[in-house]
Amino acid sequence: MNTKQEIIRREYYSDSIANFVKSSTEEILGKLTLNSDFSLAHTQRGAWLREISIMRKVLSSHQGTIYFEYSIPRMGRRIDVVLLIGPVIFVLEFKVGEREFTTHATDQTWDYALDLKNFHESSHEQFIAPVLIATEATNVAPSISLTPQNDKLFHPIKTNVDLLCKVIENVLRFADGNDIDRSQWESGRYCPTPTIIEAAMALYNDHSVADISRSDAGAINLSKTSDAISDIIRSSKDQFLKSICFVTGVPGAGKTLVGLNIATKHLDPSDDLYSVFLSGNGPLVRILREALARDKVRHGHEGGDKIKIGEARSKVKAFIQNVHEFRDECLRDPNPPKEHVTLFDEAQRAWNAKQTSSFMRRKKDTPGFKHSEPEFLISCLDRQPDWAVIVCLVGGGQEINTGEAGIGEWIESLNRSFYDWHIYISPHLTDTEYGAKDVLKQIKSRQRVEYKEELHLAVSMRSFRAEHVSLLVKQLLDLDVEEAQRTLDKVKEKYPIVIMRDFVKAKQWLKNQARGSERYGIVVSSQAERLKPHAIDVKSPMDPIHWFLDGKEDVRSSYYLEDVATEFHIQGLELDWVCITWDADFRYSKKGWEHWSFCGDRWRHIKKEERKNYLKNAYRVLLTRARQGMVIVVPPGDAEDPTRAPAFYDETFNYLKNIGFLMI
């Protein structure tokens, strides 16, 4: 992290407790107001006055440091008060005027503490006590205990104002160790790994990618990739060029984050660099739009500027678009699109000519359409009379549906029809999982081709606990047992992976692992049709918006462990904890993986290599969705059910056991 980033203040007010107690309320309130980045509503001013008054009384006999409104960029929120007293970091969330301790408030307090524990370098090894204060609560009996994860994090402590002083004293008696050094704690790097939903909200609210991304030596700096793309955009504009970039990265490395970062820099349609983020991933588009809209409503209410959800949805719709909507608009209007810069997420999933032609004939009443999706999309930007930039964000080995062309079709389209375009390529596009090696040979004769290492993101950041999970999954699927065993040894200490035969037991394991609002859920292959005896029906409709965004109290959410997501719902997204339930569609045998499809009343062999690859990639997607850990359930089967014979499952389970996954 650079020096400039380290000295940025994350709080609105901080001082030693001794100075805070001596300072006047007006002086403290003045500093809070001066540093605030929003218009001060009457309710916020009243809350600060109450908090200042409470803390002055509670802290009169303590030494340490106090912080008001401490920023958590990943969550787009601020902690009401942080205290450094002795060996403990206290995270205080006030609910002024409240009598109850709601589940939402408890999780919010816990999430703040988890954020510091997981992402703030100088908080990793410290005791952290999250405290929820409902100022008007009565008959309170605060309970003080550490969580079973053995990482010095206390369970959320619920108290009222009268007992807050006693809570602090009891926590300090509970914890041991050296006093936290204020300057050392403040200089600690904040290295978050947000979910793509959290990242989209933070970027849309004007946080920089540096605020919400890891910057430690073990991770590729996302800013470098963003800067490289920005330089290409600027030079293309200045020199009236048309350019296309291919950005590669391992699963979870932050390709989508890079695209969102570029798009959020240019949200104004009147800006010459106006950009749009496009994705063919329908669930991802719907979820991100709804998350941004809900967040916009929440921010509006907190700032006193109420906005209706419909209006919020309308405002965010232009920022993130389904690529098919963009395509259809370009079909209707032959003029150049208003955007000069388009960012295509998961570009490898664009349709080939056969699939596009079939869709246009069946759904759009456009017979004779002969272009592949990549070729038509490039042609839309080629209409610009001066300059244009296309950024293709490319995932390896993630084509999971019929007609997905892979990245090779983009290259072939450029060779066929757009010879004057400048091409900027990640050198890793030649790796086998991208399937473009042979096609890339065709552009060797082109003069406007440049390979840039900055266009590759090499380290998975989906899991802040382990960066080798995507490699482990690749080795597992490639049947490279010895290498998988070695990689698992690197992963298992911080990233638990367990295997089970009992589905009910697996659900309980998920619930036991998650803390605060850490999201968990069940994922299965879309071909997993014989999991119905476990109440899993892949044909049953589920709404990904409710599944990913709604809380623990909603039966449609992932937390309820009733609805399941398939690879189509979850690609490009992630959860903290995942249960993968492995059906007989993808079976291990001594000859290698077997690929099956359930048709009518029996399993049938999949023979087409393309469909085999889709199924393997489906399991690749499922096995790389968890940020913190996962449980893999391989059912035992049923000897009395010929469609679920134990032999269909046992070899797969034994294969996983042989790799060394912990069996429970």
Side-chain angles (χ1 to χ4, degrees), residues 225 229 243-249 255-256 258-259 277-278 341-350 374 377-378 389-395 406-407 409-411 414 421 423-426 429 434 455:
T225 303
I229 296 171
S243 307
I244 187 167
C245 309
F246 293 97
V247 179
T248 58
K255 299 179 292 294
T256 302
V258 166
F277 180 87
L278 301 172
V341 181
T342 55
L343 303 113
F344 292 103
D345 195 29
E346 297 177 13
Q348 77 283 353
R349 296 188 63 189
L377 292 171
I378 298 172
V389 175
I390 295 173
V391 180
C392 293
L393 307 167
V394 186
I407 205 62
E409 177 57 31
W410 288 88
I411 304 296
L414 288 164
W421 277 61
I423 303 175
Y424 298 88
I425 297 182
S426 157
L429 202 62
Y434 298 107
L455 297 181

Side-chain angles (χ1 to χ4, degrees), residues 544-564:
I545 287 178
H546 294 300
W547 200 82
F548 273 102
L549 299 183
D550 289 350
K552 297 176 181 178
E553 72 288 346
D554 196 310
V555 298
R556 300 165 297 181
S557 77
S558 65
Y559 291 116
Y560 244 75
L561 302 179
E562 291 185 2
D563 291 335
V564 301

Side-chain angles (χ1 to χ4, degrees), residues 567-580:
E567 68 272 21
F568 299 117
H569 300 123
I570 203 168
Q571 188 174 44
L573 295 153
E574 61 271 296
L575 292 83
D576 289 292
W577 303 91
V578 169
C579 170
I580 299 107

